[in-house]
Amino acid sequence: MTDEIATAKKPSRLTPDERTAAGTHDVAATPLRHPGRWVAAAVLIALCTGWMFSLWHNPNIEHLTIADFLFDGRIVQGVLFTVALTGCAMVLATTLAILLAVMRLSANPVLRVMSWAYTWFFRGTPLLVQIVFWGYLGLLYQELTLGIPFTSIQFASADTNAIVTPFVAGLLALGMNEAAYASEIVRAGLLSVDHGNVEAAHSLGMSPAYTLRRIVLPQAMRVIIPPMGNETISMLKNTALLQLIAVPELYTQTSWISAQNLRQVELLIVASAWYLVLTSVLSVPQYYLERRYGRGTNRSLPLTPWQRARRLVGQVRTRVAQVAHTDARTEGEA
Amino acid sequence: MNTQALDGPKPLVEARDVRKRFGANLVLRGIDLRVERGQVMCLLGPSGSGKSTFLRCINHLEWVDGGRIYVDGELMGYHEHGGRARQMKPSQIAAQRRSIGMVFQRFNLFPHLTALENIVEAPVGVARRSKADARTRGMELLERVGLTDRAGMYPAQLSGGQQQRVAIARALAMDPKLMLFDEPTSALDPELVGDVLNVMRDLAKSGMTMIVVTHEIGFAREVADQVVFMDDGIVVESGAPTDVISNPRHGRTKTFLDSVL
């Protein structure tokens, strides 16, 4: 990166011939000044500093309370719960999404319509309504039974509220809702793969399932991962909606605490800080996944942040050495 | 039905009255062809004449609407029971395709796999060979097509000619009895065509049975045992290259050859 910028700045507006005619390699021109940029930057910095100052000195915010609760046991538990929920819901959503996308692209019209209807329903009703619905599933079915429909044959039966705990209800609500969106992403990914590749796989004797797993999906992943990263981040934040059905995740924990100590603002800041940390952390696996599935499409793989940092250190070092060298030379000349 | 046992050694490929339509468009209107073991057959003809479609029917990338295609005595794509044919399951069709290699005009290498991984994928995943064996064999095949030094490269890093040679090696890795080539040099820059044709020439010399759809008349004249000229979904004439290419009997063949040569 730094290399490119450095070289990009160098070329002058003279052609090589003109340059030789002028007998110089550097053009001594005064760079264009941009006073507007400086003014804009100064105003914005002043505004932000002012706002920060007012927050810091606001008597309504007890900074010590924030510090106290940031690593409170209940909050940390809530964070872990939020992470677990996000992870499980995304796994459920992705699995369902692949199934729905394959159904949507199948030759069987019944499967196509079912997949379409699923997406229609779960995309067409508010997530909040779906969450409450799953939370109150016990009102619809007191018991859940596993058996053969329209017969008296039953293999197992259990109380709904014992199986569909708040965690399970939240997981189902978030996962099934997300699957509807994710299935469109997966479908777009599957459609992006060149059909010639499918034919080549078939001509080698690969079965349709094998072709999907080894040839089509790995290529589709390149298209699927960036939007799925987005979806994961919104999923993480949507777990806060589960406060409504008392799933003990991060936001629920903060709201329970603030209901006792009445420090709503402080606890909202605690929650926001954790959400920001978690969403920031999530972009790391996304970067590595994109890098992995980008193999073959880029002529050379992008560097990992670690490799980039090492390269930057190396560049700074050589530059420092160069500067030291020229300094020593000019001193010698003087 | 079974006349094969009567007239001596079975041909490797036998097509009887093969018909295919896309909607109202009749693409194949009754193709009868035989390819003996170790023979090279070149299919010539103007675009839209049905040669590529016929080739794709052989390994069942297209369903036939009528007629039968036998490869090594096996009916492709159907079970035969007392003269009645039933469609096969996808897994059975996949099994039949394993002994038929195919090379495409657009190479169709798997872009997410390196050259060697492209070659090794089917032998390991489909034919259940050990990874080590498949890799050794893969390297042998890359040597045969002259690309040992490109084993670790991705298709995007290879030239068209190199990609096509990897594609040939990939098809050979399944040890096919029959190789199908669908205009293998049509998408290549002229200076890259020679390398691919050389690989195909060597392959023909080694005794591989090949069916080649091509516009390379010189290659057909030199390598083919049998040249078939197709137009408008039927075989116009077929025979030795000296007959069909040098002495065409039909006006349509003459016009086509004049326009190509």
Side-chain angles (χ1 to χ4, degrees):
Chain A
M1 275 306 275
T2 25
D3 254 358
E4 281 166 29
I5 292 168
T7 48
K9 273 186 185 163
K10 262 178 207 159
S12 68
R13 296 211 176 81
L14 295 176
T15 65
D17 286 344
E18 287 168 332
R19 222 180 294 158
T20 4
T24 173
H25 290 282
D26 288 316
V27 185
T30 320
L32 182 62
R33 311 225 180 259
H34 297 283
R37 290 182 194 171
W38 287 96
V39 172
V43 169
L44 276 177
I45 289 175
L47 281 174
C48 285
T49 323
W51 185 50
M52 289 290 169
F53 192 80
S54 80
L55 276 183
W56 188 251
H57 288 283
N58 189 325
N60 296 325
I61 301 177
E62 287 179 7
H63 298 98
L64 278 177
T65 317
I66 299 177
D68 276 350
F69 280 105
L70 207 49
F71 294 104
D72 183 272
R74 285 168 289 177
I75 296 289
V76 171
Q77 213 181 358
V79 168
L80 293 177
F81 213 90
T82 293
V83 171
L85 252 171
T86 310
C88 294
M90 280 315 284
V91 168
L92 175 69
T94 311
T95 318
L96 265 176
I98 294 175
L99 191 73
L100 285 166
V102 171
M103 279 167 71
R104 188 75 189 273
L105 297 171
S106 122
N108 185 331
V110 176
L111 295 186
R112 279 206 305 269
V113 169
M114 296 272 278
S115 166
W116 177 87
Y118 181 98
T119 311
W120 170 77
F121 182 81
F122 283 94
R123 252 188 353 185
T125 52
L127 175 57
L128 202 61
V129 173
Q130 290 173 31
I131 290 171
V132 178
F133 180 85
W134 285 107
Y136 290 127
L137 190 70
L139 297 182
L140 184 63
Y141 296 106
Q142 274 79 33
E143 277 197 334
L144 292 180
T145 52
L146 185 68
I148 300 171
F150 308 117
T151 63
S152 55
I153 303 170
Q154 282 185 8
F155 302 116
S157 164
D159 179 35
T160 301
N161 290 330
I163 295 179
V164 186
T165 58
F167 179 83
V168 173
L171 183 66
L172 285 172
L174 292 175
M176 291 183 72
N177 179 270
E178 179 55 36
Y181 290 92
S183 78
E184 291 292 287
I185 294 173
V186 174
R187 190 165 71 100
L190 294 179
L191 289 175
S192 76
V193 177
D194 179 15
H195 188 68
N197 256 271
V198 176
E199 290 197 333
H202 285 172
S203 81
L204 286 163
M206 296 178 188
S207 67
Y210 188 91
T211 307
L212 177 72
R213 191 163 54 81
R214 295 284 301 180
I215 305 300
V216 177
L217 269 181
Q219 291 184 61
M221 288 305 261
R222 201 173 57 82
V223 178
I224 293 174
I225 287 170
M228 283 304 272
N230 250 345
E231 296 297 309
T232 310
I233 284 172
S234 38
M235 172 68 82
L236 184 97
K237 293 176 298 174
N238 282 344
T239 53
L241 294 173
L242 300 182
Q243 190 248 5
L244 207 68
I245 56 169
V247 177
E249 48 73 57
L250 176 56
Y251 177 63
T252 316
Q253 295 283 12
T254 55
S255 66
W256 283 343
I257 295 171
S258 58
Q260 288 169 358
N261 68 6
L262 303 179
R263 308 295 333 174
Q264 277 85 353
V265 176
E266 286 80 356
L267 280 148
L268 283 178
I269 291 174
V270 168
S272 306
W274 273 111
Y275 282 119
L276 273 174
V277 167
L278 293 177
T279 49
S280 311
V281 168
L282 273 180
S283 56
V284 176
Q286 180 181 350
Y287 181 83
Y288 279 93
L289 277 172
E290 274 178 36
R291 193 170 172 275
R292 184 191 145 83
Y293 286 104
R295 281 179 316 181
T297 42
N298 308 322
R299 297 212 166 190
S300 59
L301 277 181
L303 297 175
T304 62
W306 173 238
Q307 288 170 330
R308 225 184 287 171
R310 280 177 51 174
R311 210 175 72 155
L312 192 71
V313 168
Q315 279 169 349
V316 168
R317 229 182 244 166
T318 48
R319 191 138 315 158
V320 167
Q322 275 170 359
V323 170
H325 185 69
T326 42
D327 281 357
R329 220 171 44 178
T330 41
E331 265 170 37
E333 279 167 6
Chain B
M1 210 62 241
N2 195 352
T3 55
Q4 289 153 357
L6 301 173
D7 43 25
K10 285 185 296 184
L12 187 67
V13 181
E14 186 178 14
R16 293 189 204 150
D17 195 29
V18 174
R19 289 155 190 282
K20 172 78 189 170
R21 62 162 75 223
F22 290 119
N25 182 16
L26 283 167
V27 187
L28 299 176
R29 302 188 294 153
I31 304 283
D32 291 280
L33 284 174
R34 292 162 64 103
V35 186
E36 305 296 334
R37 261 160 233 279
Q39 267 202 342
V40 176
M41 178 203 264
C42 283
L43 289 173
L44 309 179
S47 59
S49 59
K51 18 182 227 322
S52 285
T53 307
F54 175 65
L55 200 71
R56 292 159 59 80
C57 286
I58 296 177
N59 69 351
H60 221 73
L61 285 180
E62 306 283 355
W63 296 94
V64 295
D65 294 318
R68 272 143 209 250
I69 297 176
Y70 294 89
V71 175
D72 208 10
E74 247 186 85
L75 180 61
M76 292 302 294
Y78 301 91
H79 293 294
E80 240 177 351
H81 278 290
R84 284 181 61 85
R86 277 191 306 142
Q87 281 189 357
M88 276 184 176
K89 284 192 280 189
S91 59
Q92 293 167 317
I93 295 171
Q96 277 191 330
R97 286 185 183 132
R98 273 164 220 171
S99 56
I100 304 173
M102 186 162 193
V103 175
F104 299 85
Q105 184 179 351
R106 306 275 344 154
F107 329 131
N108 294 346
L109 288 183
F110 307 133
H112 60 302
L113 302 177
T114 63
L116 185 60
E117 285 166 353
N118 259 280
I119 298 172
V120 166
E121 182 65 38
V124 172
V126 176
R128 300 262 157 239
R129 276 179 225 157
S130 84
K131 258 193 190 134
D133 286 356
R135 288 181 80 89
T136 317
R137 172 99 174 101
M139 286 309 290
E140 282 169 22
L141 287 165
L142 278 175
E143 197 184 335
R144 195 164 163 186
V145 298
L147 291 172
T148 334
D149 53 334
R150 302 294 148 102
M153 291 199 167
Y154 288 98
Q157 297 167 309
L158 301 173
S159 75
Q162 291 169 340
Q163 288 191 50
Q164 194 60 301
R165 278 140 70 200
V166 172
I168 295 174
R170 177 177 70 176
L172 290 174
M174 291 295 282
D175 294 321
K177 309 183 250 200
L178 170 68
M179 284 285 284
L180 308 175
F181 292 85
D182 188 2
E183 304 202 25
T185 57
S186 299
L188 296 179
D189 290 339
E191 79 266 24
L192 302 175
V193 169
D195 289 337
V196 172
L197 290 183
N198 280 338
V199 168
M200 291 169 64
R201 207 172 277 132
D202 289 345
L203 194 58
K205 270 190 210 137
S206 74
M208 175 64 74
T209 314
M210 293 160 58
I211 303 181
V212 185
V213 171
T214 186
H215 292 296
E216 299 285 335
I217 308 293
F219 175 82
R221 197 199 312 255
E222 182 198 342
V223 178
D225 298 292
Q226 190 188 0
V227 171
V228 172
F229 177 74
M230 281 177 69
D231 192 11
D232 203 18
I234 53 163
V235 173
V236 177
E237 65 182 297
S238 73
T242 43
D243 296 332
V244 179
I245 297 176
S246 312
N247 274 317
R249 278 172 291 142
H250 286 265
R252 274 196 276 177
T253 323
K254 270 185 205 144
T255 332
F256 173 74
L257 288 171
D258 284 347
S259 68
V260 175
L261 285 173

